[in-house]
Amino acid sequence: MTVDRIGERLRRYRRAANKTLNQVAAESGLTASFLSQAERNLTGVSISSLASIAKSLGVPLNTLFDQPPQPEPDSHQGQRVRYTIGGQPLAYERLSSNFPGNLINAVKMSMPAGYQSELISHEGAEFAYVLSGQITYTIEGRNYPLGPGDSVHFDAGKPHFLANSGNDVAEVLTVTTMGLFDDHPTP
């Protein structure tokens, strides 16, 4: 999917929901200026931000972008589909499946040196485990530098962002209770 399609979809579904940028911002834990930039394709949008936006708009996440399915409970190195959202530099590998009653969602993220996510707060809990590289989670203004083998677990309702604070690609396992996968076909 191209970057233009992400922005176009965000604007189209926001307008269909009869919501202003300020309303979606308040409901998604993002800022109106960030949402405006995303709609105009001036910034990348993380999967957690898109999930928050989709919830605010009352649409399945797969209406905003396509994700690879994970129908089986097992996931194997070298067989997962690596994907990005629009043209953003952050790459994901889906690690978890989805089923009725599922409470956790897991992805492996690859962050290039210099990457920094947007500031977000969202429902649920978030856990991250650094596989390689150096990252920093900033939660409510406090920095948590993490290297290989380090982890962080927190209430994702607190404003947070993460950044690759090293000179190499960082790989991070992220698990959240926020719904990231809906496995419904994109209309």
Side-chain angles (χ1 to χ4, degrees):
M1 172 174 301
T2 66
V3 175
D4 290 343
R5 297 213 38 220
I6 293 283
E8 290 167 5
R9 286 183 183 192
L10 291 173
R11 181 178 292 116
R12 183 172 72 239
Y13 284 104
R14 178 180 58 80
R15 287 179 175 165
N18 291 318
K19 292 190 175 187
T20 65
L21 285 171
N22 286 330
Q23 287 171 313
V24 175
E27 295 170 0
S28 66
L30 298 163
T31 66
S33 63
F34 172 78
L35 290 170
S36 175
Q37 289 179 2
E39 285 188 1
R40 292 178 291 140
N41 304 304
L42 299 176
T43 187
V45 186
S46 70
I47 191 172
S48 56
S49 290
L50 282 174
S52 291
I53 294 166
K55 182 176 180 180
S56 169
L57 299 177
V59 299
L61 182 57
N62 278 354
T63 61
L64 300 179
F65 81 104
D66 299 314
Q67 296 182 79
Q70 178 62 41
E72 300 299 324
D74 58 336
S75 168
H76 299 275
Q77 176 80 14
Q79 295 177 3
R80 291 184 290 268
V81 175
R82 186 179 166 110
Y83 65 100
T84 62
I85 299 171
Q88 86 165 357
L90 192 62
Y92 300 94
E93 290 181 33
R94 181 175 174 175
L95 302 177
S96 59
S97 60
N98 197 17
F99 49 86
N102 177 45
L103 299 176
I104 61 169
N105 299 280
V107 294
K108 177 181 167 187
M109 297 186 303
S110 294
M111 291 183 283
Y115 172 82
Q116 181 175 307
S117 74
E118 60 274 23
L119 180 67
I120 186 172
S121 58
H122 56 83
E123 66 183 21
E126 189 165 322
F127 171 84
Y129 179 87
V130 180
L131 301 167
S132 66
Q134 301 291 320
I135 69 165
T136 300
Y137 258 87
T138 302
I139 305 165
E140 290 191 313
R142 182 172 171 198
N143 291 332
Y144 296 90
L146 305 169
D150 296 341
S151 66
V152 63
H153 182 220
F154 60 97
D155 173 357
K158 295 179 178 181
H160 62 280
F161 67 91
L162 69 147
N164 181 335
S165 50
N167 296 320
D168 299 309
V169 171
E171 292 194 323
V172 181
L173 166 67
T174 301
V175 180
T176 181
T177 57
M178 175 186 210
L180 297 180
F181 313 114
D182 48 34
D183 295 330
H184 298 296
T186 302

